[in-house]
Amino acid sequence: DEKFELIKRNTVEIIGEDDLKEMLSDETNKREKIAYIGFEPSGKIHMGHYLQIRKMMDLHKAGFKVVILLADFHAYLNQKGTLEDIGKLGEYNKSVFEAMGLEAEYIYGSEYQLGAKYTEDVYKLALRTTLKRARRSMEVIAREDDNPKVAEVVYPLMQANDIKHLNVAVAVGGMEQRKIHVLARELLPNMDFESPICLHNPVLSGLDGVGKMSSSKGNLIAADDEDKDIKKKIKEAYCPMKEVDGNPILEIAHYYLEYPAELKRPEKYGGNVVFESYEDLEKAYVEGLHPMDLKNMVAESMIKIITPIREKMKGMNI
Ligand code: NAL
């Protein structure tokens, strides 16, 4: 129960909650405790990624073996570059995740995705999935393209297939992965594999308030940003007075501040305030807490979180 609460904390949803509870209470380990997340290797690792890495650390703490898929073929199918360049980004991503303190096993998709059994299962999934559904599952994930390619519908089939071939019990991802995961839950039981439990994390809004935080848009705080860049980005970020929805700074405050959280402020601006919980802070913000006060709090804690990661990476010489 304590483990379940740790795993559930800060997630949007867990599909198959009862199965997860059963796994946690079953000491015979009937179902191997393996949790897994895949990332298309990327040139920038940001605070949205870190939210997911922290969740993998929670799962590790709760007794799961953690597997990180460096999804090189997926990135390749999604038009992110040559396999060679993507492979280098994978190594870089792995060092960032290690600097964040994650203990995990790392695997490249290309290490097993060309196997005969794997390929045969992709064909099976291809026969059982409509084009329409495969495309819909990719709505948020596929790179924009005026002439969409067949690669776009191969991608979700492979992702579902990975869950089987890596023997995953708990598949983790941002909410944008949901439709692929639901497809996997539906199809895998007819392919000699137990339906995966799916855990979905929130997707952070971009600092510009336009879309989601994304490596390709530059609207992010990176895991290795310098203090002065963090300050500047937060200072310039979209943070509408009294508004909660789509407010990236309030979202960061939600997931990254430690509560009780203290706002330190000169007496003439109202003096120090302690917020017992995020809900407490949100209420104060809706009632008129100044965006600059919120930004100062958020900048200070982001610097506290990012500094050790950045310093560890400097020592890793990548
Ligand atoms: C995530 C990705 C690729 C393959 C996966 C296989 C199983 C579980 C998760 C996976 C990458 C992900 C992304 N679709 O958007 O980065």
Side-chain angles (χ1 to χ4, degrees), residues 36-40 69 71 74 141 155 159 162-163 177 181:
Y36 158 87
I37 185 165
F39 294 105
E40 290 183 23
L69 171 66
H74 281 88
I141 298 168
Y155 183 122
Q159 185 160 333
D162 289 337
I163 291 174
Q177 309 294 324
H181 283 165

Side-chain angles (χ1 to χ4, degrees), residues 17-82:
E17 252 183 37
D18 293 344
D19 292 342
L20 175 60
K21 282 181 184 159
E22 192 180 313
M23 271 189 87
L24 290 171
S25 62
D26 171 28
E27 268 136 47
T28 65
N29 264 330
K30 193 167 63 206
R31 193 171 181 186
E32 248 192 298
K33 290 195 179 66
I34 303 180
Y36 158 87
I37 185 165
F39 294 105
E40 290 183 23
S42 155
K44 279 266 181 254
I45 296 300
H46 55 69
M47 297 327 285
H49 292 107
Y50 187 40
L51 208 57
Q52 309 228 59
I53 294 299
R54 282 199 323 187
K55 186 46 67 188
M56 301 318 282
M57 288 156 75
D58 290 342
L59 283 154
H60 184 72
K61 224 184 194 171
F64 278 80
K65 175 177 147 185
V66 170
V67 180
I68 306 293
L69 171 66
L70 303 166
D72 53 352
F73 267 135
H74 281 88
Y76 178 70
L77 289 168
N78 207 11
Q79 310 182 37
K80 301 293 173 68
T82 64

Side-chain angles (χ1 to χ4, degrees), residues 10 17 27 52 57 59 62 69 71 80 118 145 162 169 175-176 201 205 216 219 227 242 254 274 278 284 304:
N10 281 347
E17 252 183 37
E27 268 136 47
Q52 309 228 59
M57 288 156 75
L59 283 154
L69 171 66
K80 301 293 173 68
Y118 182 93
D145 186 344
D162 289 337
M175 265 307 262
E176 80 285 355
N201 289 310
S205 298
S216 55
N219 57 4
D227 293 0
K242 299 186 182 185
H254 186 171
V274 174
Y278 168 70
K304 230 184 237 164

